Amino acid sequence: MHTPAFAGRTGPLTAFTRALEACASAGTATILYVHGPAGIGRTALLRRFAALARGEGHPVVEADADSAVRAGEPPAGTVLLVDDADRLRGPDGALPHRLLPRAGRGAVTVVASEYGPDTAWRTAAASAGQVWTLALDPLSDAEARQALTGAGLPEEGVGAVLDFARGYPLALSLAASAWQEGGFRDERAPQDLVLALLDHVIGEVPGPAHRQALEIAAHSRWTTEDLLRTALTESGGSPAETFDWLRRRPFVASERHGVSVLPLVRDLLDADLRWRDPSGYRALHERIRGHLLDRVHRALPHQLLPDVLAFTYLHRRNGFVSRFVTWEDDGRYRETPYRREMRDEVLALVADAEGAASAAGTAHWLDARPRSFRVYWDTAAQTPAAVLAWLRLDDSAPHPPADPTARAALRHARSSRPLRPGEHLALARVHAPASALRAASPLMDLVLHRILASFVRDTPAWSFIALASGSFLAPLLRYIDQRPLRPPVEVDGTSFTLYAHDWRSVTIERWMEVGHLAELAGPEARPAARPRSGPGALTVLTREEFDAAVLDALTAWQRADVLAGNPLLRTRLVARRGGRDPVAALREAVTEALDALAADPRAEKYHRALLAGFLRGAPTREAAAERLGLPLSTFRRHMSRGLERVRSSLWDMENRPRGSADPSHR
C-alpha cells in the first residue's frame, strides 16, 4: 500500500501559482500563511508547493521556524517554505518581523502553522499588506476517494476508510494502512489507530478538567461555558478558564451557538471515551442531556430551534436518526416568520410543489392564520425553499375548514379521542418541492426541528403532521411515535399522509423518556411509546369522567386499596409527578388543590368542609356538619362549592403545559 495520492487543495494551489507568477513577472513578493490542525496535510501541501516551484525554476529553501529567523536574506525569486511556525508564536514573535521585510524584496514565502495568524502576524501584516491567509479544511469525499483509489486501495476498503477519516489526510493514510492489515473488519477502527491519531492531533492536555472539556465538546453539537459549568466534574480550573482554553484549540471552531470540535477529532474523542470508560461515558451523557433538556424548556424564542437541534444531536450515535438529520448549518437556509408581502412567493412554491388545490388551501390559512407560518429561505437564490404551517384547531367552529388535511385531522380526533373543552389539536403542514423530501439536508433539519420544538412548547392534545406520501422522513416519524393514518388524504392528485400523536395518552415527558433509551443503545432499545394496555397506558378522561373520579378519590381517601383503582392514576395529573407510588402521587395532587383552597381567605370555609366531610373520617354528613357547628344545608353548600373548586384546580393541573406557572384560583 502506498501513501494516499495528493488530492484537492485547489484554492491553496491556485494562490501559490499566482504568487509565483507575480514574483517572476513583476518581482512582487508574498507570504502565504497556511494553517490547520495537526493531520490536516500542511506538510504534504508544502511538499507540493516545493515541487511546483522547482518545476518553474525557482530556488526552494525548506526550513523550520528557528532556522528561518536565523537565515540571511534569500535571493530574489526564492521560495522559502517554513514548517512548524507554532514554535515562535506570541505577541513578540520574531518570525513575522523577520520574514515580512524579506517578502518586500522579491521572495515567495510559505509559513505553515496549526493556528491562525496571532497578534504579531496581524500587526506586522497590517502595514506590509503582503500576507495571504489560507485555512486548510478536510478534503471533500470526492477528493479523499481520489486520494485512496489513486494509491491502490480496493473499493471495498474505500468506504470504511472514508467514513472514519472524515477527510483528514493523515487519518486517510493511517486508516488505509490499518485496513490492509486487517483493521475495520468489524466496522470499527482499531483502538491503536484511534490513540495514535488522538496523540498526534490533540497532543498534550494540561489536566483532567481540560481532557473532560474535550470529551464534553465531542459529545455535544455546540459547547458553551454554561454547559461546562454543568457537565464538568474534574477540578483544575474554572469553567471560564477551561472554556477559554478549549476555544483556542486549532481543531475547535467558534460558531454562532458555541464552539464545535472538528468531525474527526469529535469522533476520536467520543469513541475513545465510550471504549475505555463506558460508565463514565453514560454519566457524561446524562449530565449533558439534563442540561440541554432544561435549555429546551427555558429557551427564548430565538434560541429554541438551536437548542432542540443540540438536544436531538444526542441521537447521532444510535445508528438510525443520522439517516434523516445532518445537524449541519452551512448558512444557506434561514427561517423567518411569514409576512404578508411574502404571500405571492409562498403560494407559487406551494402551487409548483403540490398543485393549485393545495395552494388554495394554503391561501385560506395564510389569510386566516398568518402567524402560524414560517418560511425557509434559500439565501443563495433569495427564494423560498420550504414553508411550514403549525395550525391550532379546535371544535369551536361548527363546520370543518376547507383544507382536506385539516378535515381529516379533526375527523380522526373526534372519532378516536375527542378534544375536551379548552384543548386543541395542532396540524403541521410541510410544503416543499419533492426534491427536498427525498434526503436529509440542512433545510429539512430546520423544518423538522421546528416541528419538534412545537411539540414541546405548544403541548396540543393531538398533533398531526401532513407530508407528501413517500417522504424520506416517514421512518423517522414512526420512530418518534407519530402514527401514519390510513388512507392518505388526496389533494389535487397529490397524496398526503397524516402522522398522528395523542399527547394526552403519551405525554411529552414520557415521549422524551422513551427517546432517551435509544440515544446510546440504538432503536432496538426504544420500547413502544404508546402502550396499548396495562399500567403504562395513560387515560384521557372527559371533564365529566374526571370530576366523578375526583369525587371518588375524596370519598375513598382513607382506603389505599380503593384509590389504587381510581382512573386518575392513569392520567397526566399523576404521571407527571413520577415516583413509584401512584396513589401517593394522587394524594399529593389533591392535597395541593386543597392547600390552594385554604390559602384563599374567602374559601377557607370550603376547605374546612372538605376536610370534615372527606378526609377526617366523619361517619355521616350530619356528624361532619355538627363537628363544624354548621347547619346541614350550609355544610352541604360549602362542601359542594369546595368540591367544585378542587375539581377545577386538578383539571387545570391535568391540562397545564409543562413548565407553566400555576393557574390562579377562582
Side-chain angles (χ1 to χ4, degrees):
M1 170 70 191
H2 301 290
T3 301
F6 186 91
R9 306 305 187 206
T10 302
L13 290 173
T14 300
F16 182 70
T17 301
R18 287 171 53 201
L20 289 180
E21 292 171 350
C23 178
S25 63
T28 304
T30 305
I31 289 181
L32 301 181
Y33 190 103
V34 178
H35 68 93
I40 202 67
R42 297 189 314 272
T43 300
L45 181 62
L46 262 60
R47 290 176 184 153
R48 177 51 61 101
F49 286 167
L52 289 175
R54 291 188 179 106
E56 295 294 326
H58 291 269
V60 175
V61 177
E62 299 179 70
D64 61 21
D66 290 324
S67 301
V69 169
R70 295 193 302 269
E73 183 176 328
T78 297
V79 173
L80 175 62
L81 305 176
V82 183
D83 208 349
D84 194 25
D86 305 300
R87 295 184 57 184
L88 295 176
R89 284 178 59 80
D92 300 320
L95 191 58
H97 297 289
R98 291 297 300 270
L99 292 181
L100 280 166
R102 296 177 193 169
R105 297 187 178 95
V108 175
T109 304
V110 182
V111 177
S113 172
E114 276 196 70
Y115 298 86
D118 63 9
T119 304
W121 275 106
R122 296 183 188 280
T123 302
S127 58
Q130 301 165 122
V131 178
W132 299 353
T133 301
L134 304 174
L136 295 187
D137 294 320
L139 300 176
S140 68
D141 280 352
E143 292 166 344
R145 177 177 290 275
Q146 177 187 347
L148 293 173
T149 56
L153 187 69
E155 182 59 33
E156 60 267 26
V158 169
V161 172
L162 283 178
D163 289 344
F164 170 79
R166 296 293 200 123
Y168 274 68
L170 178 64
L172 288 167
S173 178
L174 296 181
S177 296
W179 189 89
Q180 284 209 331
E181 294 167 4
F184 296 99
R185 301 307 188 197
D186 61 353
E187 298 185 355
R188 292 184 181 180
Q191 285 305 128
D192 58 347
L193 173 60
V194 172
L195 181 59
L197 284 167
L198 281 174
D199 286 345
H200 184 83
V201 176
I202 293 177
E204 293 293 327
V205 176
H210 300 82
R211 180 73 183 198
Q212 191 176 58
L214 287 171
E215 292 163 351
I216 292 167
H219 201 73
S220 312
R221 177 61 184 88
W222 297 289
T223 300
T224 54
E225 189 177 312
D226 66 328
L227 174 57
L228 292 186
R229 198 159 34 245
T230 299
L232 274 176
T233 59
E234 297 285 355
S235 59
S238 70
E241 292 169 345
T242 307
F243 181 80
D244 188 58
W245 173 86
L246 179 66
R247 72 192 298 188
R248 297 175 189 274
R249 298 308 92 203
F251 48 81
V252 172
S254 293
E255 301 180 359
R256 283 186 299 167
H257 307 298
V259 298
S260 177
V261 180
L262 298 185
L264 173 69
V265 185
R266 180 190 296 280
D267 292 349
L268 294 172
L269 285 165
D270 210 51
D272 182 62
L273 178 62
R274 190 168 191 167
W275 170 76
R276 63 182 170 80
D277 187 4
S279 60
Y281 184 87
R282 288 192 295 272
L284 179 73
H285 178 86
E286 294 291 342
R287 294 194 299 275
I288 293 172
R289 185 182 197 275
H291 174 85
L292 295 177
L293 182 58
D294 183 59
R295 285 194 59 148
V296 168
H297 287 303
R298 294 187 298 106
L300 296 174
H302 74 279
Q303 188 62 32
L304 180 58
L305 202 56
D307 283 346
V308 175
L309 270 160
F311 184 76
T312 67
Y313 189 70
L314 298 178
H315 282 268
R316 74 193 184 284
R317 298 286 189 218
N318 76 359
F320 182 79
V321 177
S322 57
R323 303 177 202 169
F324 308 95
V325 184
T326 71
W327 294 286
E328 295 175 0
D329 180 7
D330 58 8
R332 178 172 177 179
Y333 300 101
R334 64 183 176 91
E335 179 195 78
T336 65
Y338 168 76
R339 297 190 300 274
R340 293 191 185 276
E341 59 265 27
M342 303 174 184
R343 190 175 190 276
D344 290 346
E345 290 180 286
V346 166
L347 292 178
L349 180 145
V350 177
D352 288 344
E354 300 170 2
S358 187
T362 302
H364 164 79
W365 291 121
L366 285 174
D367 296 337
R369 310 273 183 91
R371 293 185 179 181
S372 298
F373 284 80
R374 292 182 180 269
V375 183
Y376 299 85
W377 292 87
D378 183 332
T379 58
Q382 291 297 306
T383 56
V387 178
L388 172 67
W390 181 262
L391 302 168
R392 292 166 57 102
L393 307 174
D394 56 36
D395 277 331
S396 60
H399 302 291
D403 183 353
T405 58
R407 283 204 308 272
L410 284 166
R411 184 168 59 247
H412 179 81
R414 288 165 179 162
S415 64
S416 180
R417 287 185 172 131
L419 297 174
R420 300 174 297 191
E423 293 181 337
H424 72 277
L425 67 80
L427 170 63
R429 290 282 278 114
V430 180
H431 305 285
S435 58
L437 299 173
R438 290 178 187 146
S441 67
L443 169 63
M444 292 310 298
D445 282 3
L446 291 175
V447 175
L448 176 63
H449 284 83
R450 175 56 63 185
I451 293 173
L452 298 180
S454 300
F455 286 167
V456 176
R457 298 295 281 266
D458 186 32
T459 61
W462 279 97
S463 68
F464 297 85
I465 302 173
L467 271 180
S469 299
S471 167
F472 81 102
L473 287 172
L476 178 64
L477 293 178
R478 291 193 293 269
Y479 171 82
I480 62 173
D481 200 41
Q482 311 304 304
R483 305 298 177 93
L485 303 183
R486 297 288 184 265
V489 180
E490 297 293 329
V491 182
D492 198 22
T494 301
S495 177
F496 292 88
T497 299
L498 281 178
Y499 296 85
H501 185 98
D502 183 348
W503 293 100
R504 300 161 301 180
S505 178
V506 178
T507 64
I508 193 69
E509 295 86 358
R510 169 64 178 162
W511 184 69
M512 287 187 165
E513 175 190 343
V514 170
H516 180 203
L517 300 175
E519 285 168 4
L520 295 178
E524 65 278 1
R526 183 186 180 97
R530 188 194 305 270
R532 295 299 182 182
S533 60
L538 292 185
T539 298
V540 180
L541 301 175
T542 65
R543 181 62 192 266
E544 292 74 18
E545 293 168 338
F546 188 91
D547 286 351
V550 171
L551 178 59
D552 290 345
L554 288 168
T555 303
W557 189 257
Q558 307 294 338
R559 295 281 308 275
D561 58 331
V562 177
L563 283 176
N566 192 290
L568 293 176
L569 298 186
R570 297 187 298 280
T571 63
R572 290 189 298 181
L573 174 71
V574 171
R576 279 178 170 173
R577 294 173 181 267
R580 300 189 174 208
D581 186 349
V583 170
L586 174 58
R587 283 174 167 160
E588 180 184 277
V590 174
T591 300
E592 281 187 21
L594 289 168
D595 289 346
L597 199 64
D600 182 353
R602 296 170 299 177
E604 189 178 359
K605 56 191 175 184
Y606 306 151
H607 176 257
R608 289 196 301 269
L610 292 176
L611 292 184
F614 290 117
L615 273 64
R616 291 180 176 164
T620 63
R621 294 285 182 269
E622 290 79 1
E626 184 178 349
R627 182 179 296 175
L628 295 177
L630 295 173
L632 182 59
S633 60
T634 301
F635 171 76
R636 284 176 171 165
R637 185 171 66 255
H638 289 181
M639 195 165 68
S640 175
R641 291 179 179 174
L643 180 59
E644 179 185 353
R645 293 279 295 271
V646 167
R647 283 167 164 166
S648 294
S649 179
L650 292 171
W651 180 253
D652 287 342
M653 292 183 200
E654 162 77 358
N655 294 286
R656 185 187 311 155
R658 177 188 172 96
S660 62
D662 289 346
S664 58
H665 299 285
R666 290 183 293 274

